[in-house]
Amino acid sequence: MATKKILTKKSLDFFEKYLNNAAPTGYEWEGQKIWMDYLKPYVDTFITDTYGTAVGVINPDAKFKVVIEGHSDEISWYVNYVSDNGLLYVIRNGGSDHQIAPSKWVNIHTKKGIVKGVFGWPAIHTRDKGKETPPKLDNIFIDIGAKDKEEVEKMGVHVGCVITYPDEFQVLNGDKFVCRAIDNRAGGFMIAEVARLLHENKKKLPFGLYITNSVQEEIGLRGAEMITQTIKPNVAIITDVCHDTTTPMIDQKTQGHTEIGSGPVISYAPAVQNKLRERILDTAETNKIPFQRMAASRATGTDTDAFAYSNGGVASALISLPLRYMHTTVETVHRDDVENVIKLIYETLLTIKEGETFSYFD
């Protein structure tokens, strides 16, 4: 495991296809189908729920249950208002960034298919140079080439249509993966790769493994809240993204120091069970996997919180993938970090024994 490259051409082709597919919060199922199709050879069965969370299960009959989890949804917009002259105004579906919107192409999802549009913005020549108005939620708008509200309706666009960016996967300088929705489709990809490696290396686990791709994280950890009640796990290892804080205009005294290329980020937080976290740290050191540390004041802001505080308390920990430019269309991660998160989850699973409680009192 230490010297062999983890990512294969097949796995990277899947990652690209999975990233390029739109799966906004509340509309994740087409992405889940792509993910399940890739995962199918490596698991025994699947669980899905009413809102679209998908779980691949290895050893479904085992009483002791371990979750590895990422979330499948991406930030997006909703059409909120159509003006008389055919322009669309929006509200957020998740933490969409209004500042990056002007001049971006968008895909508006309708029953008739995709309708293309652009976030328009007044030309520099027409703006008051002494009093620049920044992009705000109430002044950004989408132009779909319609002359009025009636034409918008004929195109199949209406209030409630969901809107995504079309930006697709690219590789920067050979080893940086760039795309929208790496937060957190990278998580779903990495846990799928863990399942692949377990299968290819013929590892037999003494517990049930639940490879969980949750929906609706971006609007409050909702998919994880639902599926943890279904699975009722004993242990949960969550993977999500965190910030590379080495780029301009980020204060490391408040945000900490984490960066792409320096390894998985292991969190300290009340929701993180200390004994499980120490197991992960020991595993990283034993296997010479580089890692970084991060502290969260109250909540981790990830599905870790949903799993930890469910079912009377589930031993939970968070392994994060450092990422630049979160919630933009150019989210950037390092290939080495992706491989090392996969390796760290894989190696940690191999240390877990059936019936372990991680209790502070044992």
Side-chain angles (χ1 to χ4, degrees):
M1 284 291 296
T3 54
K4 183 182 170 188
K5 281 290 182 187
I6 288 171
L7 302 184
T8 66
K9 184 182 185 303
K10 182 184 176 186
S11 59
L12 286 173
D13 287 347
F14 158 62
F15 191 30
E16 181 170 355
K17 180 181 179 182
Y18 184 46
L19 278 167
N20 289 349
N21 174 77
T25 301
Y27 298 81
E28 298 94 344
W29 59 86
E30 292 301 332
Q32 298 288 54
K33 290 175 185 175
I34 294 169
W35 183 80
M36 292 167 75
D37 185 61
Y38 179 78
L39 193 61
K40 191 173 183 180
Y42 314 127
V43 299
D44 297 321
T45 189
F46 284 98
I47 299 168
T48 56
D49 73 7
T50 309
Y51 278 86
T53 290
V55 185
V57 188
I58 298 171
N59 302 337
D61 296 328
K63 289 183 179 177
F64 193 76
K65 300 174 183 180
V66 177
V67 160
I68 56 174
E69 192 260 10
H71 73 82
S72 59
D73 57 321
E74 66 181 287
I75 57 169
S76 55
W77 302 98
Y78 282 123
V79 177
N80 186 50
Y81 172 74
V82 182
S83 71
D84 291 339
N85 63 342
L87 298 175
L88 315 179
Y89 289 81
V90 298
I91 57 171
R92 293 186 177 99
N93 184 23
S96 299
D97 188 346
H98 53 279
Q99 290 209 33
I100 70 156
S103 84
K104 293 296 299 179
W105 281 92
V106 295
N107 288 335
I108 302 163
H109 300 259
T110 79
K111 286 184 179 177
K112 297 180 179 180
I114 297 291
V115 172
K116 291 285 184 182
V118 294
F119 270 110
W121 195 246
I124 188 170
H125 320 68
T126 67
R127 305 199 301 263
D128 181 346
K129 311 297 186 294
K131 194 177 67 177
E132 285 276 18
T133 301
K136 295 182 290 188
L137 201 56
D138 62 2
N139 67 15
I140 58 173
F141 62 91
I142 293 171
D143 188 336
I144 60 171
K147 67 178 185 294
D148 54 29
K149 187 183 290 189
E150 186 180 6
E151 194 168 358
V152 170
E153 290 170 357
K154 282 181 182 172
M155 294 168 75
V157 176
H158 53 76
V159 169
C161 283
V162 73
I163 303 156
T164 58
Y165 293 115
D167 301 67
E168 295 195 336
F169 177 83
Q170 296 194 60
V171 178
L172 195 62
N173 196 25
D175 58 5
K176 315 300 186 307
F177 300 147
V178 181
C179 198
R180 44 156 260 289
I182 288 179
D183 173 13
N184 181 35
R185 225 150 291 154
F189 169 70
M190 293 186 296
I191 59 175
E193 290 297 276
V194 170
R196 176 178 67 83
L197 291 174
L198 289 168
H199 181 269
E200 289 179 355
N201 295 332
K202 298 181 170 55
K203 297 295 184 182
K204 300 295 182 189
L205 299 173
F207 48 77
L209 182 64
Y210 290 71
I211 302 107
T212 303
N213 210 7
S214 298
V215 297
Q216 299 196 23
E217 186 273 349
E218 293 290 358
I219 51 89
L221 323 182
R222 300 308 187 191
E225 285 181 358
M226 291 183 272
I227 199 64
T228 187
Q229 305 301 336
T230 301
I231 298 171
K232 294 183 166 49
N234 301 93
V235 179
I237 297 171
I238 314 306
T239 185
D240 206 327
V241 295
C242 65
H243 303 290
D244 177 329
T245 62
T246 66
T247 55
M249 298 186 288
I250 297 176
D251 183 357
Q252 293 184 0
K253 291 189 292 296
T254 58
Q255 298 294 328
H257 183 166
T258 46
E259 59 186 302
I260 64 170
S262 293
V265 180
I266 299 170
S267 277
Y268 290 70
V272 173
Q273 212 275 350
N274 293 297
K275 281 196 168 184
L276 179 58
R277 184 196 58 244
E278 292 305 306
R279 175 72 58 83
I280 292 167
L281 289 167
D282 291 346
T283 301
E285 289 172 344
T286 299
N287 292 277
K288 296 181 169 55
I289 300 168
F291 65 88
Q292 307 173 76
R293 291 181 169 96
M294 180 174 70
S297 179
R298 290 176 65 87
T300 69
T302 72
D303 284 336
T304 312
D305 305 330
F307 278 92
Y309 301 133
S310 71
N311 300 294
V314 174
S316 301
L318 174 60
I319 301 173
S320 297
L321 176 69
L323 172 143
R324 290 182 169 180
Y325 321 124
M326 196 181 296
H327 286 202
T328 73
T329 57
V330 291
E331 295 182 334
T332 302
V333 295
H334 199 297
R335 178 184 178 127
D336 291 351
D337 294 334
V338 172
E339 292 202 328
N340 281 318
V341 170
I342 294 165
K343 193 183 298 184
L344 183 53
I345 296 172
Y346 173 92
E347 295 291 353
T348 301
L349 288 177
L350 297 182
T351 74
I352 296 175
K353 298 176 177 62
E354 182 186 11
E356 278 198 82
T357 67
F358 294 93
S359 171
Y360 301 129
F361 305 103
D362 287 350

